[in-house]
Amino acid sequence: DLPTPSNISAWWNFGSLLGLTLLIQILTGFFLMMHFSSSDTLAFSSVSYTSREVWFGWLIRNLHTNGASLFFMFIFLHIGRGLYYTSYLHESTWNIGVIMLLLLMATAFMGYVLPWGQMSFWGATVITNLLSATPYVGSTVVPWIWGGPSVDNATLTRFTALHFLLPFALLASLITHLIFLHERGSFNPLGISPNADKIPFHPYFTMKDALGAALAASSLLILALYLPALLGDPENFTPANSMITPTHIKPEWYFLFAYAILRSIPNKLGGVLAMFSSILVLFLMPALHTAKQQPMSMRPMSQLLFWALTLDFLLLTWIGGQPVNPPYILIGQTASLFYFIIILILMPMAGLLENKMVEPTYVTPK
Amino acid sequence: MGPEFGRLAYVRHIITYSLSPFEQRPFAKYFSVGLPNLWRRFRGQVLRVGPLFMAGYALYLWAIEEEQRLKRKNPADYVNDE
């Protein structure tokens, strides 16, 4: 059986919850795909038909849309655990994890386009247009991705195919992620080797993960049954119309932090680079680790910076959903700047300072 | 793959005792020790988390009011109008 540290806390539940959520998304997505038509004239009404006429179609759809939100909530908490307890020191596991985050973001982005509502169409238009900022090839790449001169039927059909395909790439990455993880075994909150105190995964953590799954399933059902449109945008109840632009085009809540960083830079290419950098900076985490103590459990300055980063992330999420008016502009720009300053400068500095604060526990013999 | 039971760590002079689960109270001291421990853990972290989030919430409330104010004309400019 899998030897597991005895002291891993609730923050270690999110890995299994992510796997469970992926399974839910694949199953519900599969059933939705049975009734979905990927033509631009039929997509919106096929989703409406699924919700109204298919047996429990409304529930399958609600589970799928809210399952996506839950997926991102869990992945943000999972990454937060990784930052706080320095799980990124398992470099191969961490790198696959970042790739999985990118795959998830691509899958979710394309999935949102499929219902072909106003926000589906216009969100796809805004975000795919960003690629035109790429020097030299930008203006050629964008129509190539669209399959035409604008977001249209060709875009929808290829996004449908990719949205079906990428979750299986995610599944393959998940298996690789677990293989790399199991080479060394899980980290633990203390950061010291847990080998002297390991317990079998079953029954202790199968039971703990079952409790986590029950709580997650409860939250998913509360959303799907009582508040299905809470996290969505009302614009998406209107079929896509290329002649009418919504007043406030914005992505789903889980992309708002990146949207805020994108909009904080007045230059198009600059904004695109900043937005991608905000995710790709995660690849740099192992190199930015300076502290001798692994986790932040006993490093108060780093803890403060971690919570500042969390607050910054929440502020960026809020700002991303607001119109571009003062004072939101300045707050967004400051928060975007602080996001990078905290990760790239302040946290490594705090690690170095904390190293100096720790008393040596031995004296080198003469 | 990875460390397995039987070759995890070499530890000397450790004697472990355990009780059968059938001879234990499953939630022993859950409230009498658990709640004070919860309070101890909360006190250890609250000053690192609380002030930051309170400041963030204050910023949020101020920004909403400020945006509303900037959308409106200043009433003081029209005090003496007839």
Side-chain angles (χ1 to χ4, degrees):
Chain A
D1 204 0
L2 179 68
T4 315
S6 63
N7 61 334
I8 53 175
S9 63
W11 296 103
W12 268 254
N13 273 53
F14 292 107
S16 65
L17 286 176
L18 282 163
L20 179 71
T21 317
L22 177 61
L23 201 61
I24 292 174
Q25 291 302 95
I26 288 175
L27 281 172
T28 52
F30 180 67
F31 282 101
L32 285 175
M33 206 47 97
M34 290 181 192
H35 306 283
F36 179 71
S37 296
S38 63
S39 149
D40 61 341
T41 48
L42 294 172
F44 187 89
S45 46
S46 71
V47 172
S48 181
Y49 170 83
T50 307
S51 295
R52 291 166 190 277
E53 307 292 343
V54 170
W55 195 57
F56 285 106
W58 59 273
L59 180 61
I60 301 172
R61 189 201 178 181
N62 288 348
L63 287 173
H64 196 75
T65 53
N66 290 296
S69 287
L70 219 63
F71 210 144
F72 277 93
M73 178 55 87
F74 290 157
I75 209 168
F76 291 148
L77 293 168
H78 189 67
I79 294 170
R81 184 281 311 266
L83 292 175
Y84 190 93
Y85 293 106
T86 63
S87 313
Y88 47 74
L89 295 174
H90 270 179
E91 279 187 48
S92 9
T93 314
W94 177 261
N95 290 338
I96 302 268
V98 180
I99 290 170
M100 286 169 73
L101 173 64
L102 292 165
L103 279 172
L104 177 66
M105 288 176 132
T107 310
F109 168 69
M110 288 187 287
Y112 193 64
V113 178
L114 302 191
W116 210 240
Q118 274 287 67
M119 211 46 88
S120 307
F121 177 85
W122 288 100
T125 304
V126 167
I127 298 300
T128 49
N129 257 309
L130 294 175
L131 296 168
S132 67
T134 316
Y136 301 110
V137 299
S139 51
T140 322
V141 159
V142 172
W144 175 71
I145 288 176
W146 284 338
S150 67
V151 171
D152 207 341
N153 187 58
T155 324
L156 177 56
T157 50
R158 62 191 54 190
F159 276 14
T160 308
L162 282 169
H163 184 68
F164 197 101
L165 177 68
L166 285 186
F168 297 103
L170 201 54
L171 202 55
S173 310
L174 169 62
I175 292 166
T176 321
H177 189 65
L178 285 175
I179 289 172
F180 280 124
L181 174 67
H182 292 165
E183 273 184 4
R184 290 171 58 171
S186 289
F187 257 48
N188 72 97
L190 287 175
I192 52 177
S193 171
N195 285 338
D197 185 16
K198 279 192 163 172
I199 52 179
F201 192 87
H202 176 71
Y204 297 103
F205 295 103
T206 44
M207 200 46 74
K208 191 171 186 178
D209 283 350
L211 172 64
L215 293 169
S218 311
S219 9
L220 179 58
L221 284 173
I222 288 171
L223 280 173
L225 298 176
Y226 288 110
L227 304 160
L230 177 73
L231 302 170
D233 195 313
E235 282 282 2
N236 234 27
F237 283 93
T238 311
N241 187 341
S242 57
M243 304 303 283
I244 300 176
T245 312
T247 328
H248 299 296
I249 300 173
K250 54 182 181 144
E252 286 288 89
W253 71 267
Y254 36 80
F255 288 141
L256 289 174
F257 77 97
Y259 199 53
I261 292 175
L262 170 77
R263 297 190 304 184
S264 65
I265 298 183
N267 175 275
K268 191 173 182 180
L269 179 60
V272 171
L273 287 176
M275 183 179 72
F276 283 123
S277 304
S278 69
I279 312 293
L280 298 176
V281 76
L282 291 173
F283 280 119
L284 294 178
M285 292 313 302
L288 293 167
H289 183 83
T290 51
K292 284 181 187 152
Q293 290 181 61
Q294 274 177 0
M296 290 187 189
S297 313
M298 280 158 273
R299 293 195 276 130
M301 270 162 42
S302 296
Q303 282 185 13
L304 209 57
L305 286 169
F306 172 83
W307 291 113
L309 183 65
T310 309
L311 176 68
D312 191 78
F313 185 85
L314 291 170
L315 284 172
L316 282 169
T317 302
W318 161 55
I319 291 288
Q322 298 305 311
V324 183
N325 291 330
Y328 300 136
I329 302 174
L330 184 63
I331 295 175
Q333 289 172 332
T334 313
S336 304
L337 187 63
F338 263 100
Y339 178 89
F340 290 102
I341 286 178
I342 291 174
I343 293 177
L344 294 172
I345 301 173
L346 294 180
M347 275 180 160
M349 268 175 57
L352 290 170
L353 278 169
E354 280 155 350
N355 287 347
K356 302 246 179 281
M357 291 167 158
V358 173
E359 270 186 31
T361 53
Y362 66 91
V363 176
T364 317
K366 288 180 186 167
Chain B
M1 169 190 294
E4 293 155 356
F5 282 119
R7 54 180 193 90
L8 286 173
Y10 184 65
V11 185
R12 294 167 61 217
H13 302 313
I14 300 289
I15 304 167
T16 56
Y17 297 91
S18 58
L19 278 176
S20 156
F22 295 102
E23 303 205 10
Q24 299 178 40
R25 291 189 298 129
F27 287 95
K29 300 177 187 173
Y30 193 74
F31 294 108
S32 58
V33 172
L35 287 176
N37 191 47
L38 184 63
W39 175 243
R40 177 191 66 81
R41 293 191 302 124
F42 175 78
R43 274 178 54 203
Q45 292 294 306
V46 68
L47 292 176
R48 292 165 199 180
V49 183
L52 274 170
F53 281 83
M54 278 162 52
Y57 187 60
L59 177 69
Y60 165 79
L61 291 176
W62 170 82
I64 290 172
E65 274 198 41
E66 180 68 2
E67 198 229 356
Q68 289 301 314
R69 187 188 71 79
L70 288 168
K71 280 181 180 175
R72 300 272 172 264
K73 294 180 186 174
N74 182 9
D77 293 341
Y78 303 92
V79 158
N80 295 318
D81 275 8
E82 287 179 22

